Amino acid sequence: MRLELRDITKRFPGVLANDRISISADRGQVLGLLGENGAGKSTLMNILSGLYKPDSGEILIDETPRTFTDPRQAIEAGIGMVHQHFQLVPVFDVVEAVALGAESVSGPLGSFDRKTARARVLELSQQYRLNVNPDAKIEDLPVGVRQRVEILKALYRKSDILVLDEPSAVLTPFETEELFGIIRGLAKDGTTIIFITHKLNEVLEVADKITVLRRGRVAGTVDPKEATRERLANLMVGRDVELTVAKGPAQPRDVVLELSDLHVRDDRGHMAVNGVALQIRAGEILALAGVQGNGQTELVEAIVGLRAVDSGDITIDGKSVTKSTPRQIADLGVAHVPEDRNRDGLIGAMTVAENFILDTYHREPYSNGIRLNRQAIDERAAVAVKDYDVRTPSIHTYAGSLSGGNQQKVVVAREFSRPVRLVIAAQPTRGLDVGSIEYIHKRMVEQRDQGAAVLIVSTELDEVLAVGDRVAVMQGGEIVGVVDGDDATYEKVGMLMGGVH
Ligand SMILES: Nc1ncnc2c1ncn2[C@@H]1O[C@H](COP(=O)(O)OP(=O)(O)O)[C@@H](O)[C@H]1O
Ligand SMILES: [Mg+2]
């Protein structure tokens, strides 16, 4: 069916999330909806799926205006949604999850005709090569398969229009390729598809048409055959962006960080890091790739002293820090850009200026031991804001009100303001706009060139390949491969991430 959204406007308190947005997709067409975090993509799709009511604007299906006051009506009209965060019931098996859906958890199971449902699930799974075992329990399935169950659910309900909201965020590169195959198959059979993403490569690969959203508005609609990554990035951000990381060859020197047979447990007491050995030298960037949840978080927390080591050793410049406190480790010249900047990196209720001195406020020149020297603090902040291109109304603005990219610049500026021997950066560009990503990468390379050892942990393959002088892959708590930057290809690293060694 042909789908058209015309002049959709949706306002939340203080935010114009959708500002007269118009998009359209023909039967059997894959529309890529590209935009930064907060551009308004999910809001638009929640309107289409009947979750939100638009302030104004129209939804047309096959040229007929439709209004949905709840999700059920949208489903009946043939719209299937695979949400950014899945909504499957873990204790269900695949047939139950597909046929009943989340909405019937407490409903009557008595009338459920399992045999017919199972046959239909199997048929759909085969027809679209979804390769899902109908009898498997949801909780036992890997995320990639769970997502295919979500797709099955939409197909089961006879969706002619399928919306996938950031579907690849949780997938390995291999699973993403499989998903693209499925999308193409569905489109070929006449399903209209809206594929939402913030990743340039993906949208270029799978979409027949690309609409770019920026700050709640349509920034442009382009034909992928004529579009370049640069053009798309420009539309997303509103200015030209350097997409490749400019850097010379690494000049590795002495070993700074060494991990030997490291074992670290997660919060539930399971071994999350299982015998990791790794060296990082001064003057090189080691990118640690891996799908989320393979022990990277625990590894980083152990290195910076936030998590106890079970066994094994961590040394920095030959000195064991296995039992050191975070403060002692920081004092060795370790800059830490944490994975969750809102929890560990920044205090939202403090000003930008105050955030710059979080770990040095008790020292000269910011304090004489009795009183804070406001002037020194402000001078320092003014310089850092300028040096790190932090877009803030003032240095006295609360850090919590800045955009993600600018918050991250505050964290990086603070961490890099001390002499740096070792950089530990976890997902340093997650959720950032393309422009800020470029900026953060430049600063990481700068540290390397000034002689720091740099560890960048990332789930984004593009980032890993762009910045890593060497690429290590972590899977199931172990390092399953280390590849030289020049040999690190999408296929090679992707395969290691997916568990193919
Ligand atoms: N339920 C809501 N209440 C208030 N603000 C919201 C709500 N949902 C989204 N927003 C805001 O609307 C804007 C667009 O968000 P969203 O549609 O989720 O963007 P995207 O999916 O492109 O990342 C953001 O500024 C976001 O904070
Ligand atoms: Mg979204």
Side-chain angles (χ1 to χ4, degrees):
M1 292 195 293
R2 177 178 155 79
L3 170 73
E4 188 176 344
L5 300 184
R6 207 179 275 171
D7 285 330
I8 299 281
T9 294
K10 176 75 186 174
R11 189 183 291 277
F12 292 114
V15 197
L16 190 51
N18 288 172
D19 184 5
R20 284 167 293 141
I21 294 183
S22 297
I23 61 167
S24 69
D26 290 327
R27 179 174 188 276
Q29 195 175 40
V30 181
L31 171 69
L33 196 58
L34 181 72
E36 304 270 299
N37 265 325
K41 307 180 295 292
S42 293
T43 300
L44 190 65
M45 290 308 119
N46 286 333
I47 287 170
L48 175 62
S49 66
L51 273 168
Y52 296 161
K53 189 176 166 309
D55 297 342
S56 61
E58 278 188 307
I59 300 171
L60 297 100
I61 294 177
D62 280 342
E63 314 300 336
T64 312
R66 305 291 302 258
T67 43
F68 306 133
T69 50
D70 69 55
R72 205 166 291 272
Q73 291 177 351
I75 291 167
E76 277 160 17
I79 295 164
M81 281 284 289
V82 178
H83 286 277
Q84 203 163 351
H85 308 285
F86 310 154
Q87 300 171 330
L88 298 172
V89 182
V91 294
F92 275 7
D93 69 16
V94 169
V95 175
E96 290 160 350
V98 169
L100 300 171
E103 54 276 10
S104 349
V105 190
S106 53
L109 286 172
S111 59
F112 172 50
D113 176 3
R114 184 182 168 84
K115 208 166 150 212
T116 313
R118 187 178 183 283
R120 177 93 182 111
V121 167
L122 208 54
E123 186 191 318
L124 285 169
S125 174
Q126 279 160 1
Q127 184 181 350
Y128 294 104
R129 297 179 207 285
L130 290 164
N131 202 12
V132 175
N133 169 8
D135 305 311
K137 266 236 164 43
I138 297 295
E139 59 192 354
D140 298 333
L141 296 174
V143 260
V145 182
R146 285 192 202 191
Q147 185 167 57
R148 299 207 288 268
V149 175
E150 285 280 9
I151 295 173
L152 262 177
K153 200 164 113 188
L155 297 174
Y156 189 89
R157 294 161 166 196
K158 302 197 173 48
S159 306
D160 298 305
I161 298 167
L162 184 64
V163 180
L164 298 135
D165 194 354
E166 307 248 3
S168 69
V170 291
L171 302 184
T172 65
F174 179 69
E175 287 171 327
T176 303
E177 283 305 317
E178 282 187 330
L179 175 67
F180 287 175
I182 293 162
I183 288 176
R184 283 190 204 99
L186 286 166
K188 201 158 146 271
D189 284 354
T191 306
T192 304
I193 295 186
I194 303 187
F195 178 83
I196 301 178
T197 185
H198 64 269
K199 296 183 186 175
L200 304 170
N201 290 342
E202 292 190 348
V203 81
L204 281 170
E205 189 177 338
V206 77
D208 299 312
K209 167 169 143 182
I210 303 171
T211 295
V212 185
L213 297 188
R214 181 171 78 235
R215 295 184 188 189
R217 292 190 181 173
V218 173
T221 294
V222 291
D223 179 348
K225 287 194 218 64
E226 286 153 19
T228 58
R229 283 161 43 92
E230 285 72 20
R231 171 84 185 116
L232 292 174
N234 179 299
L235 284 172
M236 273 168 90
V237 189
R239 65 172 177 89
D240 279 340
V241 179
E242 195 85 51
L243 289 170
T244 43
V245 181
K247 66 180 173 82
Q251 284 163 355
R253 293 187 292 275
D254 38 323
V255 174
V256 176
L257 177 70
E258 177 154 22
L259 311 176
S260 329
D261 196 27
L262 194 68
H263 289 76
V264 184
R265 290 179 191 273
D266 65 17
D267 290 337
R268 291 179 304 168
H270 299 147
M271 204 59 83
V273 177
N274 206 348
V276 164
L278 206 59
Q279 288 186 334
I280 307 180
R281 293 174 179 273
E284 72 164 349
I285 298 178
L286 181 99
L288 183 62
V291 178
Q292 201 169 343
N294 276 281
Q296 305 97 312
T297 305
E298 289 80 3
L299 181 75
V300 165
E301 287 175 353
I303 296 171
V304 298
L306 289 169
R307 182 176 287 272
V309 168
D310 201 71
S311 66
D313 203 19
I314 305 170
T315 63
I316 294 174
D317 285 323
K319 179 179 184 294
S320 175
V321 295
T322 314
K323 293 199 163 60
S324 301
T325 64
R327 166 72 40 96
Q328 288 166 334
I329 292 170
D331 285 345
L332 293 172
V334 177
H336 177 212
V337 181
E339 181 171 333
D340 186 347
R341 63 181 158 267
N342 294 311
R343 201 191 65 194
D344 305 318
L346 200 87
I347 300 181
M350 285 170 70
T351 67
V352 169
E354 288 163 347
N355 269 281
F356 280 128
I357 54 147
L358 278 188
D359 44 10
T360 41
Y361 65 90
H362 53 291
R363 294 199 196 139
E364 295 272 0
Y366 309 123
S367 163
N368 59 9
I370 300 163
R371 286 193 330 136
L372 289 179
N373 179 347
R374 287 281 165 192
Q375 197 186 340
I377 294 169
D378 289 357
E379 278 168 11
R380 155 92 189 86
V383 171
V385 160
K386 188 161 171 293
D387 279 359
Y388 281 80
D389 190 31
V390 179
R391 310 275 168 87
T392 176
S394 139
I395 56 169
H396 303 299
T397 302
Y398 288 117
S401 70
L402 302 186
S403 74
N406 285 300
Q407 291 183 354
Q408 190 72 320
K409 287 177 187 171
V410 171
V411 173
V412 170
R414 181 187 66 226
E415 294 299 309
F416 288 2
S417 66
R418 297 173 280 131
V420 177
R421 180 71 180 147
L422 174 65
V423 176
I424 307 288
Q427 318 294 351
T429 62
R430 178 185 288 166
L432 266 52
D433 57 275
V434 204
S436 302
I437 291 175
E438 163 199 23
Y439 192 84
I440 301 281
H441 284 165
K442 269 191 193 155
R443 292 299 179 139
M444 298 284 169
V445 172
E446 203 173 273
Q447 288 297 328
R448 178 200 78 166
D449 291 343
Q450 288 167 12
V454 181
L455 171 66
I456 295 180
V457 179
S458 177
T459 54
E460 298 283 330
L461 203 39
D462 286 337
E463 171 162 60
V464 164
L465 298 180
V467 296
D469 298 315
R470 287 191 299 141
V471 175
V473 182
M474 195 159 176
Q475 212 249 324
E478 296 173 27
I479 302 289
V480 293
V482 183
V483 190
D484 221 43
D486 297 334
D487 303 331
T489 59
Y490 204 85
E491 290 70 29
K492 199 168 196 169
V493 178
M495 247 152 51
L496 288 166
M497 281 171 75
V500 187
H501 317 157

